[in-house]
Amino acid sequence: MTEPNDHPTPAPSSADQTEPEGKKIGPLGVIGAGFAALFLVAGLVVSLVVLVRDDDAPLVQLDDPAGSPAAAPDPAAGQFEPAPVFDPLGRVSYVPRNPAGVILDQSAPTAGRPATAPPSGVMLQRIHGNMTLPFSTSDGPTAIDDSGVATGFAHTPQGAALAAAHYLAYYAAGNDRVDMLAASGQVDDPDRDLLVKKRANDLRGEVWQADGAPAAAMPSVRVDYADPLARVWFGYSATTDGRTTYSRIRTDVLWTGDRGWVLQARRDYDPQGPTAAGTRDENPFEAGWTTWW
């Protein structure tokens, strides 16, 4: 496991052009798994992140809010704990009494909704104790299977992003959550990448995750949608010592008739496996990025 590094050297990257429509996060330090693991932890997953408020920068700047949020749960309904909590990125999250999460009532999205529009009624839920993942009222999930993993995401770009956020969080976590993903059947794994991932965790090498490692969905999203395949990018921007850096990672999901969106741990789709190595650099996100949760 790598040592903490609050000021890593920016990695080289291609030149991007425009400012993202995403949230900027104030001064940030990475502990525990180290910065390299930050990207292999699900692309959407910010693992063991400590955010520090200062007088000049808010913890999260809401300059590009997501679509209509889900209504705050009624404590009398008994499905959530009475008090919400802040997640590692300073976002309000609700704690379901069912550790696997609460399925929200669904309604059809607005006709003609563009692919870049966020899902409706997004609610961040803290499931399994420390995984902060998005649920919506328009694009799923619509069920939780016996393994404790959400399923039933819509056959839309928004549903693809929600599914990728969930399944990548399990894939890049500790072996207990890798096993949950495998049991759910929501991953294609002909090259046995899950076994490779579990062995890496057991060896506790440079990049690994312990059982029960925390996860939080990255706030910025871009979907390259070529139905039935979607490439989903996740990212966030952070400001440290007056310097803003941008982090990105991607994964592929495939629409299947019987299982819906399925994470692709297939090297014929991506020779690097289900995730492309994350980057952190000072190049702003290109056009097409937005903030959904």
Side-chain angles (χ1 to χ4, degrees), residues 15-191:
D16 297 316
Q17 299 297 320
T18 58
E19 183 72 11
E21 296 182 38
K23 296 178 182 177
K24 290 187 178 180
I25 301 167
L28 169 148
V30 180
I31 63 174
F35 186 77
L38 175 66
F39 296 109
L40 297 180
V41 180
L44 70 118
V45 174
V46 180
S47 177
L48 298 177
V49 173
V50 176
L51 299 167
V52 182
R53 292 181 185 271
D54 64 32
D55 293 335
D56 298 323
L59 186 63
V60 176
Q61 297 175 4
L62 299 178
D63 53 356
D64 181 31
S68 58
D74 179 4
Q79 292 183 300
F80 292 87
E81 297 297 334
V85 297
F86 284 112
D87 84 333
L89 302 183
R91 300 168 297 183
V92 174
S93 304
Y94 294 91
V95 182
R97 287 183 170 159
N98 177 351
V102 171
I103 298 302
L104 306 178
D105 292 338
Q106 299 291 300
S107 58
T110 304
R113 180 183 63 174
T116 55
S120 298
V122 171
M123 173 191 285
L124 289 173
Q125 296 185 25
R126 180 176 290 183
I127 63 174
H128 302 306
N130 60 4
M131 299 177 76
T132 304
L133 296 176
F135 290 65
S136 85
T137 61
S138 60
D139 295 86
T142 60
I144 297 171
D145 67 18
D146 292 341
S147 66
V149 175
T151 62
F153 296 96
H155 190 182
T156 60
Q158 293 80 1
L162 287 159
H166 278 252
Y167 302 151
L168 199 51
Y170 290 93
Y171 172 85
N175 289 346
D176 55 343
R177 288 169 178 164
V178 172
D179 287 339
M180 291 172 69
L181 178 63
S184 76
Q186 296 303 128
V187 57
D188 281 344
D189 185 29
D191 300 314

